[in-house]
Amino acid sequence: MRWFLACLGLGAVLTGCASTQLNYNTADLASSLGSLQKRQIFYNLAQALDDPDFVPSQVTISIGTAQTANAVNPNLSIPLGSSFASAARLTDAGRNAGNQFTGTFTTAATGLGIQLVDSWNQSWTMVPANGANQLRRLRALYQYATGSFPHVEPGRESSEDEAEKYFLCEYPLQALAVPSSPPGNNIAYRLEGCPENGSGPRSRLMYADPNFTQGPNCVICVDDLKSKLPRLYVNPHLKYRFIHSGKDKTDDMVKVGEHGFTSFYVCASRKSDCRRVPQQEPFDGRKAFSDFVLFVYEAMAVPAGGSGSGKSSGGANFVYSVR
């Protein structure tokens, strides 16, 4: 009875331990979300500086799971009674002839075994960017943030207006399915003078889901959706060439992260004396980086359905698990 009560008490203690461990694992998993996203961003920023025509690697974290299991497996053995063993021996040796009998009583000892199990599992379900337009949007964002557009003349620095025009051409806005009589639920817009690889500039007719052109997170924004010729512009919070590597660092810059041997710096504040491109107004680089992380989320999103009622991350899931 004492052993049973002891096991019962130990099980109650471990139940409380499991709850505490689960709370800890859940908080630990949640706190790692921001660092996971930033590690991806720093990786892609490094790729953009090294090879502007790279294809980004980006995932959206959709679901996080934390599991904890504690168990007590007791094993109690009690003998039902004593055991008896007998042996007989017959001897024939003259006057010592006779029979000999021996008997042995043995009693098994009581045994108790306890097996303790403590296991935990943390996993993220991720949605990779695998659509061509998703990857084009991401590449344009990283090129814009680092000022690494590949078609700029060597040795010449683009102004902010030139960079915005090129970005508008390179960033394919999310669009709903285009019907036989366009634009359907999309808005239609035309871009002039977009550079081509191997030929001169030309005009492009484009379509966009209006949900992605409104609000504080629109990468490319439209003020008047009812206009026949909507005016598109880059979100003012998305700053051109605000990310700098170590070779461009000045004393008024602060480090925001690194990947491998490449460190990334931004202007510490609007009043700091930092290197800016022609026509660019002073800005807070740390806020620009925080907004840039949100713009990456926006570039990953796709229309939620044919009705144009919202957004979703899209793509197929895969699970990364730590045990």
Side-chain angles (χ1 to χ4, degrees):
M1 186 65 180
R2 290 197 303 268
W3 291 113
F4 175 77
L5 294 176
C7 291
L8 189 62
L10 184 58
V13 171
L14 288 179
T15 300
C17 293
S19 176
T20 302
Q21 184 66 39
L22 179 61
N23 292 338
Y24 175 81
N25 290 348
T26 303
D28 179 61
L29 186 67
S31 64
S32 67
L33 178 59
S35 63
L36 283 174
Q37 291 291 356
K38 287 184 178 180
R39 287 182 66 180
Q40 294 182 82
I41 289 174
F42 291 139
Y43 167 79
N44 287 311
L45 287 172
Q47 296 301 308
L49 290 172
D50 183 60
D51 177 16
D53 284 316
F54 80 114
V55 177
S57 297
Q58 197 85 35
V59 299
T60 296
I61 309 297
S62 60
I63 300 174
T65 303
Q67 297 176 334
T68 301
N70 292 138
V72 180
N73 300 319
N75 180 18
L76 179 63
S77 60
I78 301 176
L80 298 178
S82 302
S83 61
F84 174 77
S86 63
R89 186 176 64 176
L90 178 62
T91 61
D92 185 8
R95 30 176 215 177
N96 293 325
N99 295 329
Q100 294 183 357
F101 297 92
T102 59
T104 305
F105 286 91
T106 59
T107 302
T110 301
L112 174 66
I114 299 178
Q115 181 185 24
L116 305 179
V117 178
D118 180 19
S119 64
W120 54 271
N121 174 56
Q122 294 173 263
S123 63
W124 285 115
T125 301
M126 302 180 226
V127 183
N130 52 17
N133 282 339
Q134 275 184 318
L135 296 172
R136 285 184 179 275
R137 288 193 293 270
L138 289 168
R139 183 175 64 183
L141 269 178
Y142 288 113
Q143 290 173 340
Y144 191 78
T146 56
S148 58
F149 288 124
H151 304 300
V152 177
E153 297 177 12
R156 187 180 73 85
E157 189 171 46
S158 299
S159 67
E160 188 173 34
D161 289 342
E162 290 174 323
E164 287 189 3
K165 181 177 180 180
Y166 188 83
F167 181 73
L168 289 173
C169 293
E170 289 297 304
Y171 188 94
L173 272 167
Q174 294 90 330
L176 299 165
V178 180
S180 56
S181 57
N185 291 323
N186 295 302
I187 60 170
Y189 62 96
R190 185 173 293 277
L191 297 172
E192 302 289 347
C194 291
E196 298 292 335
N197 186 15
S199 61
R202 70 178 183 89
S203 174
R204 295 180 185 175
L205 178 62
M206 310 288 288
Y207 301 98
D209 181 349
N211 290 294
F212 290 90
T213 65
Q214 303 294 300
N217 292 319
C218 60
V219 178
I220 295 177
C221 309
V222 174
D223 286 334
D224 186 5
L225 293 176
K226 296 181 179 180
S227 174
K228 293 183 179 180
L229 297 173
R231 186 183 73 86
L232 278 71
Y233 61 93
V234 178
N235 193 315
H237 294 292
L238 177 57
K239 302 300 181 182
Y240 174 59
R241 200 179 179 184
F242 76 95
I243 288 285
H244 301 271
S245 61
K247 63 181 181 180
D248 298 327
K249 178 184 178 296
T250 64
D251 293 338
D252 286 341
M253 291 183 179
V254 293
K255 183 177 178 180
V256 292
E258 62 185 2
H259 175 76
F261 297 104
T262 305
S263 298
F264 303 102
Y265 300 87
V266 298
C267 199
S269 68
R270 298 181 60 182
K271 297 181 179 180
S272 301
D273 184 16
C274 299
R275 180 182 176 184
R276 299 183 181 88
V277 300
Q279 304 175 1
Q280 194 171 42
E281 296 293 329
F283 60 88
D284 185 336
R286 282 178 287 201
K287 185 180 186 304
F289 178 73
S290 177
D291 289 335
F292 180 76
V293 174
L294 301 179
F295 289 135
V296 169
Y297 278 99
E298 183 74 358
M300 287 280 288
V302 296
S307 63
S309 59
K311 310 174 184 180
S312 70
S313 57
N317 298 339
F318 71 94
V319 179
Y320 175 73
S321 178
V322 176
R323 298 179 184 272

